[in-house]
Amino acid sequence: MDCLQFRRQLMAEPRSHDPQLLAHREECPACQAFWLRTQHFEDQLEQAMDVPVPAGLADRILLAQATDARRRQMVRRRGWLAVAASILIAVGGGTVMWRQAQSHSLPVLAVAHMPKEISALALTAAIPDSMVTEGFAERGTTMRGPMPLHVTYVHDCQVGPYRAVHVVSRVDGQPVVALYMPGKMTDKPEHFSRGGWTGREIPLNDGTLVVLAQHASPDALDQAEAGWRMAIDGPGGPSLTSI
Ligand SMILES: [Zn+2]
Ligand SMILES: [Zn+2]
């Protein structure tokens, strides 16, 4: 073993007891000095590394790893919850929009309902106020004011999904239909014109009133609206807000 081999082996294995290595150490003073320095350095290194390990360190490291893994799992799960929540919100929003679409189709439903009772428009004889009041009472509406003049027809009807009171009154000799159904389908009066009918959809009390006619003037619709508004809302109700 020469000096280079000696030092190379000593660097790789400072505490080696290889007989060849030890033999070279004995015969070479330079390598013996190198060996001593190496041993001294090794001693210092071992001292520095000789730190007492706190009790339970291994357990704490394992616990920290497990906790971290669990936390990442929770974050992932929360991510999914957020996705699920946003889907629910989207579906809920869709339902609201669907309801709004439904409410805007009330004039469509009202006009579609007309052919079934078109013959009611030909009636000219006024019916007693009590019949009208009873018709509304059957649909859960107590009249607060006097009935409009010259009501010729009252009937319980199903207008699309809504249970309605279907009435006809004569204004200036022309029949004007009114459909009153519980539940607010609109926030403000809306006029419509479709299928040869003109009319308006009005929020009234806790319900919705639709007045419509085929040949009546806007003035006749105003009068019909005012009449039913007075009957349903009473004299103390909000004043006519026709637009
Ligand atoms: Zn040597
Ligand atoms: Zn009807």
Side-chain angles (χ1 to χ4, degrees), residues 65-83:
Q65 284 175 345
T67 306
D68 193 44
R70 171 102 183 109
R71 194 174 297 139
R72 278 199 298 270
Q73 203 177 34
M74 297 251 298
V75 166
R76 266 203 302 275
R77 206 167 286 165
R78 268 190 214 128
W80 277 109
L81 275 176
V83 170

Side-chain angles (χ1 to χ4, degrees), residues 113-114 116-117 153 155-159 164-167 179:
H113 179 75
M114 290 302 107
K116 286 184 241 173
E117 286 157 283
Y153 181 76
H155 203 262
D156 296 341
C157 288
Q158 189 75 26
V159 179
V165 185
H166 182 155
V167 282
L179 301 167

